[in-house]
């Protein structure tokens, strides 16, 4: 349990630091581009502007940290109940918020600091209440369902976000969170890991669900950082990557709390998600975004 918790905390630090660095790179790339060159007719970032943001050194370092966080998070998902591992990893919101003060010039209100405190308290409650993780086996039909739903969310979500444009930051953050949540479930049920069997691993649909969810979630999170509040986008991501995987872990994979502490686990989970939503709500006033020029759509025809 302790090794799993430390692994999840390390993943959280990597993800939180990476998010802020990616936001810095995205905004620097936007400042260096003509105002009309990086958006679609709907006001959202086009693929070229997203690619340009991904070429900044801050974004590259942030992406490296994301990959390190992914590896640590995958290990945590195998060692802890999903409701605990995903929630601890989602506490990267706290790292994101604190670092954004220094690196993005964002001022956090008293309500935001209170919400962050609620998230931290909730994590302590969850860690206290969590029992051992359940099994790693699921019927093959579940693996195929996971792949199908992940494809639908990532491909359909990408199209929807591009059509909605500049107003889709929270949706993009939520969809990226659902992608990362599907990734956590996929890692948990992946066959061919223990004992290692390359043939079984390569023929498992869960492996391809992990790849689609990872790359799709990263792209959608990048879009969310380009068009909206870094704290708001990250908080929406938190909701997506905790609620559904946590429920799947409890209902289908056998995750459980310590005997007699189910109420504490539920309380901690609700407080963690509620605190993240509060940060998203109170983070709408971010001063660093006020001075950013409004996107100008590309001319039609």
């Amino acid at each position: 349990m302790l090794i799993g918790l430390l692994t999840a905390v390390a993943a959280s630090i990597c993800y939180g630091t990476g998010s802020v660095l990616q936001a810095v790179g995205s905004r620097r790339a936007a400042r260096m581009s003509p105002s009309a060159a990086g958006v679609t007719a709907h006001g959202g970032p086009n693929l070229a502007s997203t690619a340009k943001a991904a070429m900044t050194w801050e974004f590259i370092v942030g992406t490296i940290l994301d990959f390190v966080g992914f590896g640590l998070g995958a290990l945590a998902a195998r060692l802890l109940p999903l409701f605990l591992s995903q929630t601890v990893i989602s506490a990267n919101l706290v790292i994101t918020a604190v670092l954004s003060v220094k690196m993005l010039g964002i001022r956090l209100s008293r309500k935001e600091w209170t919400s962050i405190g609620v998230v931290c308290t909730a994590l302590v409650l969850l860690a206290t209440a969590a029992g051992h993780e359940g099994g790693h086996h699921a019927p093959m039909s579940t693996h195929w369902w996971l792949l199908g739903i992940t494809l639908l969310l990532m491909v359909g979500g990408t199209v929807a976000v591009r059509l909605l444009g500049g107003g889709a930051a929270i949706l993009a953050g939520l969809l990226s969170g659902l992608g990362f949540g599907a990734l956590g479930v996929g890692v948990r049920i992946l066959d061919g890991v223990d004992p290692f069997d390359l043939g079984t691993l390569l023929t498992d649909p869960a492996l391809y669900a992990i790849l689609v969810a990872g790359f799709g979630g990263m792209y959608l999170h990048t879009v969310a950082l380009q068009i909206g509040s870094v704290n708001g986008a990250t908080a929406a991501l938190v909701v997506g990557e905790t609620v559904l995987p946590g429920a799947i872990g409890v209902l289908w994979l056998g995750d459980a709390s310590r005997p007699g502490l189910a109420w504490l686990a539920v309380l901690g989970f609700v407080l963690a998600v509620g605190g993240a939503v509060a940060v998203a709500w109170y983070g709408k006033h971010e001063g660093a975004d006020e001075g950013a020029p409004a996107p100008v759509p590309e001319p039609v025809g």
Side-chain angles (χ1 to χ4, degrees), residues 7-100:
T7 304
V9 169
S12 178
I13 293 172
C14 287
Y15 278 135
T17 306
S19 290
V20 176
L21 286 173
Q22 287 168 338
V24 171
S26 297
R27 296 178 186 195
R28 184 162 71 85
R31 289 195 300 268
M32 294 169 61
S33 302
S35 59
V39 296
T40 66
H42 302 279
N46 58 28
L47 290 174
S49 67
T50 302
K52 186 173 292 185
M55 293 305 295
T56 60
W57 73 264
E58 296 97 338
F59 198 98
I60 292 171
V61 173
T63 301
I64 292 172
L65 286 173
D66 278 345
F67 278 110
V68 174
F70 165 73
L72 294 170
L75 180 58
R78 305 279 301 189
L79 296 175
L80 297 172
L82 282 174
F83 70 83
L84 178 58
S85 65
Q86 294 300 112
T87 308
V88 172
I89 291 170
S90 73
N92 67 74
L93 174 66
V94 175
I95 308 297
T96 299
V98 172
L99 288 181
S100 66

Side-chain angles (χ1 to χ4, degrees), residues 138-162:
M140 186 52 63
S141 59
T142 302
H143 295 228
W144 282 108
W145 272 109
L146 180 65
L147 177 58
I149 293 172
T150 301
L151 280 169
L152 179 63
L153 285 173
M154 296 298 99
V155 176
T158 298
V159 173
V161 166
R162 285 180 60 78

Side-chain angles (χ1 to χ4, degrees), residues 213-238:
F215 286 109
M218 191 172 297
Y219 169 74
L220 288 169
H221 188 43
T222 301
V223 171
L225 293 176
Q226 285 183 283
I227 61 180
S229 152
V230 60
N231 288 338
T234 305
L237 182 151
V238 165

Side-chain angles (χ1 to χ4, degrees), residues 70-262:
F70 165 73
L72 294 170
L75 180 58
R78 305 279 301 189
L79 296 175
L80 297 172
L82 282 174
F83 70 83
L84 178 58
S85 65
Q86 294 300 112
T87 308
V88 172
I89 291 170
S90 73
N92 67 74
L93 174 66
V94 175
I95 308 297
T96 299
V98 172
L99 288 181
S100 66
V101 173
K102 194 71 174 177
M103 300 180 70
L104 295 174
I106 296 170
R107 294 182 179 179
L108 300 183
S109 67
R110 183 176 299 176
K111 291 179 179 178
E112 286 174 287
W113 283 115
T114 300
S115 301
I116 289 171
V118 169
V119 173
C120 293
T121 301
L123 294 179
V124 173
L125 297 181
L126 275 171
T128 302
H132 292 292
E133 80 281 2
H136 300 287
H137 175 73
M140 186 52 63
S141 59
T142 302
H143 295 228
W144 282 108
W145 272 109
L146 180 65
L147 177 58
I149 293 172
T150 301
L151 280 169
L152 179 63
L153 285 173
M154 296 298 99
V155 176
T158 298
V159 173
V161 166
R162 285 180 60 78
L163 290 176
L164 290 173
I170 298 298
L171 175 62
L174 178 62
L175 287 170
S176 67
L178 289 173
F180 293 137
L183 188 154
V185 174
V187 168
R188 177 67 174 275
I189 66 175
L190 187 62
D191 291 334
V193 176
D194 185 20
F196 180 75
D197 185 325
L198 183 60
T200 301
L201 185 68
L202 292 178
T203 56
D204 189 348
L207 174 64
Y208 302 98
I210 290 169
L211 295 175
V212 171
F215 286 109
M218 191 172 297
Y219 169 74
L220 288 169
H221 188 43
T222 301
V223 171
L225 293 176
Q226 285 183 283
I227 61 180
S229 152
V230 60
N231 288 338
T234 305
L237 182 151
V238 165
V239 175
E241 75 175 342
T242 54
V243 176
L244 193 58
I248 290 174
V250 171
L251 295 176
W252 286 293
L253 299 179
D255 291 345
S257 61
R258 295 179 187 275
L261 292 182

